[in-house]
Amino acid sequence: MCWHVLGAGSLGSLWATRLARAGLPVRLILRDDARLAAYNTQAGLALDEKGQRQTFAILAQTVSADEPIQRLLVACKAYDAERAVAAIAPRLSDKADVLLLQNGLGSQDAVAAMIPHARCIFVSSTEGAYRDAHWSVVFAGQGFNWLGDTRRGAAPAWLSELERAGIPHQWTPDILERLWRKLALNCAINPLTVLHQCPNGELQAHAQEVTALCVELGHVLQRCGQPGAAEGLLDQVQQVIAATAANYSSMYQDVAQGRRTEIRYLLGHVCAAAAALDCPTPKLNQLRLRLIEHLSARGLPSD
Ligand code: NAP
């Protein structure tokens, strides 16, 4: 069974190259003919892991190819996922498996609602990768992938292919709890690093602000029926800040490089969920408005 990978960016390339390295059939799906022509001038997709570079001659196609898709890995940003999947939806077989790698929450439900005949599998990834050139990805951070579906279904048999490809993973019945927890950690740290223009560690100087955000995040998580994601949140936020003190958050890096952020699916999602549940979150709302102002001043989308 072929792995179709939609979006040959950082994470899509990291998955595609590892699957190809294990001898599994992989196809890249690129957005248009121009991207396909550019890719076809190359020898393939390169993976740099621990300083070792290897290129894989993975076949690519555009969204408009007619090959049916049984297993799709959606590796676009959250704000692109719905549109990208809409374009490919007619190619999905009945009972196709669609893995959604997007950070935050909101995009997964939007995609799932569009393709009710498919089985959507949500992935929460802590692996890190970035592109150092076109069609070349650097595996920058070891991590883990949690997979699960919201219907609490059984683990699919193809997980053994991830094992074979050396992609660290585990099937979980609580994927939403994982995604909410990661979302909460992100909301407590990333926007502040953008507003204070600092690496994670400098948030130790803003401990009161971080604590107040964690209190509100805890309330929202409880109200959303995710008490497990709320448990020990402040402690973990403090641990992450200390353990990654020298690092710049992904949102900081996006803004510094003039790239669109996924704010709508992170802080935006929490604030919207809180409003829908009449859960007061003045600090989070204020943080969101400050972040929107900061992004707008730099000409970046605030949704
Ligand atoms: P990325 O490097 O920007 O890659 C996204 C890719 O999607 C780009 O190659 C883009 O194509 C492609 N794309 C967008 N719309 C498309 C369409 N309609 N058809 C085909 N391709 C399309 O993003 P990323 O860093 O891999 O992140 C993907 C998701 O994973 C995000 O939600 C992110 O938060 C999450 N994540 C990333 C990491 C990481 O370390 N990178 C870690 C954990 C989670 P073009 O190149 O043509 O623009």
Side-chain angles (χ1 to χ4, degrees), residues 116-133:
H117 54 289
R119 181 184 190 189
C120 285
I121 290 167
F122 297 8
V123 185
S124 177
S125 177
T126 60
E127 295 193 300
Y130 65 89
R131 282 184 281 184
D132 59 343

Side-chain angles (χ1 to χ4, degrees), residues 8-11 31 35 77 80 84 102-103 127-129 131 262:
S10 309
L11 221 51
R31 64 166 78 234
R35 297 290 282 153
K77 295 280 196 187
D80 280 329
Q102 287 60 51
N103 212 352
E127 295 193 300
R131 282 184 281 184
E262 295 179 299

Side-chain angles (χ1 to χ4, degrees), residues 212-297:
L213 290 174
C214 286
V215 170
E216 286 190 7
L217 285 164
H219 291 153
V220 182
L221 291 170
Q222 297 279 358
R223 291 290 301 274
C224 288
Q226 297 293 338
E231 220 177 284
L233 178 64
L234 176 60
D235 285 349
Q236 196 185 357
V237 166
Q238 287 167 339
Q239 279 163 21
V240 171
I241 287 173
T244 60
N247 296 2
Y248 287 91
S249 74
S250 54
M251 190 179 268
Y252 176 99
Q253 291 180 45
D254 282 342
V255 176
Q257 290 170 35
R259 292 191 302 241
R260 182 174 177 180
T261 68
E262 295 179 299
I263 174 176
R264 177 172 164 198
Y265 305 90
L266 299 162
L267 195 50
H269 186 81
V270 171
C271 291
L277 292 163
D278 277 333
C279 176
T281 51
K283 303 275 188 223
L284 286 163
N285 293 344
Q286 193 193 26
L287 181 70
R288 181 173 157 269
L289 292 179
R290 283 165 66 201
L291 185 59
I292 287 175
E293 200 178 312
H294 186 94
L295 296 175
S296 301

